[in-house]
Structures are given as C-alpha cells and as structure tokens.
C-alpha cells in the first residue's frame, strides 16, 4: 500500500476503522485543479484545518498510513506547489484542506 495512490473505495478498505478517526474536510471538488484531483480522498481525510485535531490524527495513525500519505504528497509535490505556492486573498476550503493535508504529511509520526 505504501506506494499506491488510494481512491475513496481503496482508502476506506485500507484504513479500516481508522477511517472514522477524521472529522473530515468538506470542500468543492470544482475548486481543486485537475492535476491534483487524485488526492481528494487524502485531503478530505487529512486536510483538517485545526492544527491540534490534525496533529492528534497524525499521531494516532498507523505508520503505514502516514508512509503512504508522505509518499503521495511527495509524488504530487510539484503539482501541489503550482497550486498552493500562491496564497490567495480568500482561500477556498479546498485550498485550505490541501494545505493542511501537506502539513499532516510533514508531521513526524
């Protein structure tokens, strides 16, 4: 699983009961560039804007899930940079969720 980009279905299967640990991030898919839409399930799960809640989620996650998140974030790093490197005046919920997802990936487990 470490080197697999998970979709909604495979994420639920691989995460098992841990899928319920996240309060989830809600955003419009139309606000996500096509180049990173494969990461929507990750942003919905890991893209929690509250730093404390996100940290608790990361620290309680199984190591293989964190390894997968880190690998996926690295795989899409350039595409994420193209979108997230310019901070808009009024960032969308999607922008915030994807930024928070990247922060989760950078948090050491």
């Amino acid at each position: 699983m470490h080197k697999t980009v998970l979709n909604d279905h495979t994420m639920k299967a691989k995460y098992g009961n841990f899928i319920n640990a996240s309060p989830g991030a809600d955003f419009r898919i139309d606000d996500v560039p096509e180049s990173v839409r494969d990461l929507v399930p990750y942003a919905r799960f890991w893209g929690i804007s509250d730093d404390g809640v996100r940290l608790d989620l990361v620290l309680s996650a199984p190591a293989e899930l964190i390894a997968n998140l880190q690998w996926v974030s690295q795989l899409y790093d350039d595409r994420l940079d193209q979108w997230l490197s310019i901070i808009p005046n009024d960032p969308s919920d999607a922008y915030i969720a994807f930024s928070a997802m990247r922060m989760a990936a950078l948090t050491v487990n």
Side-chain angles (χ1 to χ4, degrees):
M1 178 189 71
H2 172 72
K3 294 190 177 186
T4 302
V5 179
L6 304 174
N7 61 32
D8 282 325
H9 178 72
T10 55
M11 180 175 273
K12 287 175 185 170
K14 297 291 184 184
Y15 279 39
N17 288 335
F18 189 69
I19 199 75
N20 299 315
S22 173
D26 188 32
F27 54 84
R28 292 172 14 106
I29 292 178
D30 291 345
D31 291 337
V32 179
E34 288 281 339
S35 63
V36 295
R37 284 201 182 160
D38 289 345
L39 302 185
V40 164
Y42 291 89
R44 289 211 189 276
F45 185 85
W46 297 104
I48 309 306
S49 61
D50 183 293
D51 294 337
V53 173
R54 186 179 58 254
L55 179 61
D56 288 345
L57 184 65
V58 170
L59 294 177
S60 67
E64 70 177 289
L65 300 184
I66 295 298
N68 178 256
L69 172 65
Q70 291 171 333
W71 176 81
V72 166
S73 295
Q74 187 62 36
L75 181 66
Y76 282 79
D77 192 53
D78 290 340
R79 290 178 254 186
L80 289 166
D81 278 348
Q82 287 177 345
W83 176 31
L84 302 175
S85 63
I86 300 170
I87 302 170
N89 289 334
D90 187 20
S92 68
D93 291 335
Y95 182 96
I96 292 168
F98 274 76
S99 296
M101 175 198 72
R102 283 183 107 183
M103 286 186 264
L106 295 172
T107 303
V108 176
N109 186 9

